[in-house]
Amino acid sequence: MRLHWHRRDLRAADNRGLAAATGKLDGIPKDGPVVPVFVFDREVLSHAGPPRVAFMLDALDSLRTWYRDHGSDLVVRQGDPREVLPSVAEKFGADGVTWGAEVSGLGQERDADVRQALDDADVAHRSVENALLHEPGSIRTNKGEVYSVYTYFWKKWQDREKLDPVAPPAAEDLAAITDDQPLPSLADLGFDDPEADVPPAGTDVARALLDAFLQDDVYDYDDRRDYPADECTSRLSAHLKFGTIGIREVHEAVREAKSAAVGADYDSAEAFESQLAWREFYSHVLWNEPNVVTENYADYEHQIEWNHDPDALQAWKDGETGYPIVDAGMRQLRAEAYMHNRVRMIVASFLTKDLLVDWREGYDWFREKLVDHDTANDNGGWQWAASTGTDAQPYFRVFNPMTQGERYDPDAEYIREYVPELGDVPSDAIHEWHELDRGRREMLAPDYPGPIVDHSQRRDLAIEMFERARGE
């Protein structure tokens, strides 16, 4: 008998760790039925926010239902996995444990500790790559280094053969057990109810999103993905984060959509496929440089002189900066635990280049509020915007938030949805908000603030700040 330790793989289908436990992978012999296990690890939960935990609980409920429908159950425990897993293995007479590998420093350290604990208990163990199409470190430069430039990584990523999805286990592969431990509530785990309306989780939900996206939107993705009002995105990010759907299943479906397309439709489907590669690129970077979670990836001769401004930071968090596209994004984050990707870049640039606030403040806020927070992707995105990361935005290229709003939300549909104070304001006035005099702004929208900073001035200050850091 074996245990399979679920973590970021809250699904049965296309689960290579579970397939390894049930003897479905080459070279791994079957050793009796499998007991599925999930451990609520307090150390890991200390880095979580209410939206993610709520989504995870919903995903676990869906996964447990699947197991019960197949004559088994999901064993749920709370505690330190170094103690819990050997204990559960002893209870069920299991002589092996499988799980999906991690790329973060915290995850790798935890896995090393669990391996040692299982060795001490004379329990075999195996981790397999389950969340990525290619194992970290497997795509390297000709000099043998992990890529720091996406374009070259993407070329090799495209050419590498991808593994096929694996089938879910059959009922006879699973231990006929029951577990009377209920799933804990948010309160049981020490979390308040999320401020946002968290979307539903589970494999059925993820597949429905994927199918709907590939029916139509994938062929408009390249042209419309940057326009937040169009909603031309898959909304799969949280499902990939928690593994309610497998990356191989997603990629296979995208490849099928791409192969059925020609011309611009083909290019658009490939543009979406490239986003899957971006996800892997940042995961490979994190695996190779785990300290990027708290430190700049790029080397500067001097420290960057970030501005400590709690009031400006709070205005940014509250969506009260007086820059409409920024405020719309920050309010969408609070309302939905999600933000459109183009808008994520805009608000990150605004925090780091207009408010001159350390990217780590923004990263921490996203980690608290996003349902799809992923350490590798979020860190990569924040450091890109802050000009401190791998393949980052050059420090002298600073997003103009008003130009970005006018270009990607020309009719201010997205802005009006999340900033109702501007509901009756003409679009041109919204996009010129920073140029209107105070009297005009108060007449048009008395409850919406004026800009808290002058973008042109702050742009100059940002460039000067980075030039000092570069020793210029």
Side-chain angles (χ1 to χ4, degrees):
M1 184 174 289
R2 286 201 175 112
L3 308 182
H4 176 66
W5 179 23
H6 281 282
R7 288 120 59 97
R8 286 186 54 179
D9 60 336
L10 305 184
R11 65 185 184 276
D14 191 22
N15 190 324
R16 289 178 56 80
L18 187 55
T22 56
K24 302 297 185 183
L25 293 186
D26 292 341
I28 305 177
K30 182 176 179 179
D31 187 20
V34 172
V35 177
V37 181
F38 185 86
V39 182
F40 287 94
D41 184 342
R42 292 287 179 175
E43 183 178 2
V44 173
L45 287 172
S46 69
H47 298 277
R52 277 187 289 144
V53 179
F55 187 90
M56 180 180 69
L57 288 171
D58 193 23
L60 285 167
D61 183 64
S62 176
L63 180 61
R64 174 175 260 188
T65 297
W66 188 91
Y67 278 121
R68 288 176 173 175
D69 288 345
H70 287 75
S72 188
D73 208 341
L74 178 65
V75 175
V76 175
R77 296 291 184 266
Q78 295 189 46
D80 187 335
R82 293 173 296 184
E83 300 171 358
V84 172
L85 291 172
S87 175
V88 174
E90 181 179 13
K91 175 181 177 178
F92 289 100
D95 58 8
V97 184
T98 62
W99 64 83
E102 286 277 2
V103 297
S104 71
L106 173 63
Q108 292 183 59
E109 289 174 8
R110 179 178 63 159
D111 287 0
D113 290 342
V114 168
R115 290 188 188 97
Q116 184 60 59
L118 292 172
D119 285 341
D120 293 343
D122 198 25
V123 177
H125 49 79
R126 182 185 178 102
S127 63
V128 298
E129 181 50 60
N130 205 16
L132 303 173
L133 289 162
H134 301 290
E135 291 195 15
S138 64
I139 299 179
R140 293 178 177 268
T141 69
N142 293 336
K143 294 182 178 180
E145 299 171 349
V146 172
Y147 275 102
S148 61
V149 177
Y150 171 75
T151 305
Y152 303 119
F153 176 90
W154 161 239
K155 290 178 180 177
K156 284 191 177 179
W157 185 93
Q158 282 182 295
D159 293 338
R160 293 291 176 93
E161 184 177 354
K162 309 293 190 289
L163 294 172
D164 294 329
V166 294
E172 58 266 26
D173 294 324
L174 303 171
I177 61 169
T178 58
D179 185 58
D180 58 2
Q181 293 282 343
L183 288 174
S185 66
L186 279 167
D188 292 336
L189 296 173
F191 292 90
D192 295 329
D193 289 337
E195 179 181 14
D197 184 12
V198 176
T203 298
D204 289 344
V205 176
R207 284 175 170 165
L209 288 170
L210 178 62
D211 290 346
F213 178 70
L214 295 181
Q215 285 293 316
D216 188 25
D217 284 345
V218 70
Y219 301 119
D220 293 320
Y221 183 77
D222 200 23
D223 291 333
R224 306 307 301 171
R225 61 178 172 172
D226 282 327
Y227 296 83
D230 287 4
E231 288 286 352
C232 191
T233 57
S234 71
R235 289 287 187 130
L236 284 172
S237 52
H239 295 278
L240 289 171
K241 153 69 182 179
F242 286 98
T244 55
I245 192 169
I247 185 61
R248 288 158 298 278
E249 180 177 340
V250 172
H251 183 261
E252 182 178 71
V254 173
R255 275 289 175 93
E256 289 176 358
K258 181 179 167 184
S259 65
V262 295
D265 286 354
Y266 179 94
D267 294 340
S268 189
E270 185 169 85
F272 181 75
E273 185 184 24
S274 75
Q275 295 303 305
L276 302 180
W278 266 111
R279 177 177 176 272
E280 301 225 341
F281 172 68
Y282 282 138
S283 292
H284 286 219
V285 169
L286 178 61
W287 171 82
N288 188 55
E289 297 282 352
N291 62 333
V292 296
V293 175
T294 56
E295 298 178 15
N296 296 334
Y297 179 91
D299 290 326
Y300 282 88
E301 185 174 344
H302 306 293
Q303 285 191 345
I304 301 172
E305 300 166 359
W306 297 113
N307 190 20
H308 179 67
D309 190 341
D311 292 338
L313 176 61
Q314 192 62 50
W316 178 82
K317 290 179 177 180
D318 293 339
E320 296 285 349
T321 68
Y323 283 87
I325 191 70
V326 173
D327 294 339
M330 299 307 295
R331 295 187 194 189
Q332 182 185 27
L333 176 62
R334 282 185 178 269
E336 300 175 10
Y338 171 85
M339 190 189 300
H340 184 276
N341 188 59
R342 166 58 59 172
V343 186
R344 294 188 196 203
M345 291 189 283
I346 295 169
V347 304
S349 178
F350 186 83
L351 182 72
T352 57
K353 303 294 180 61
D354 285 76
L355 301 184
L356 311 179
V357 171
D358 194 328
W359 62 265
R360 282 160 278 235
E361 296 282 3
Y363 172 82
D364 286 346
W365 186 245
F366 272 29
R367 183 180 63 186
E368 174 73 15
K369 292 297 182 181
L370 280 174
V371 72
D372 64 3
H373 167 76
D374 177 279
T375 301
N377 282 355
D378 267 8
N379 182 269
W382 271 100
Q383 293 225 43
W384 179 88
S387 302
T388 61
T390 175
D391 210 4
Q393 173 96 320
Y395 74 92
F396 50 81
R397 288 184 60 190
V398 179
F399 277 12
N400 182 321
M402 302 308 296
T403 301
Q404 291 283 314
E406 186 172 15
R407 180 179 301 161
Y408 296 111
D409 191 28
D411 297 324
E413 296 174 70
Y414 174 80
I415 290 170
R416 289 193 187 91
E417 180 176 358
Y418 295 102
V419 187
E421 303 97 304
L422 298 175
D424 296 325
V425 179
S427 298
D428 57 353
I430 290 176
H431 296 311
E432 296 170 357
W433 194 252
H434 64 306
E435 296 178 346
L436 302 180
D437 61 49
R438 180 176 179 180
R440 176 71 171 156
R441 287 197 297 261
E442 289 182 351
M443 183 185 72
L444 290 170
D447 296 327
Y448 184 66
I452 62 172
V453 294
D454 181 285
H455 169 71
S456 296
Q457 292 178 357
R458 288 304 179 101
R459 178 187 181 277
D460 292 341
L461 290 175
I463 292 173
E464 292 171 6
M465 178 179 75
F466 278 95
E467 287 177 344
R468 287 194 299 273
R470 287 162 55 88
E472 298 177 4

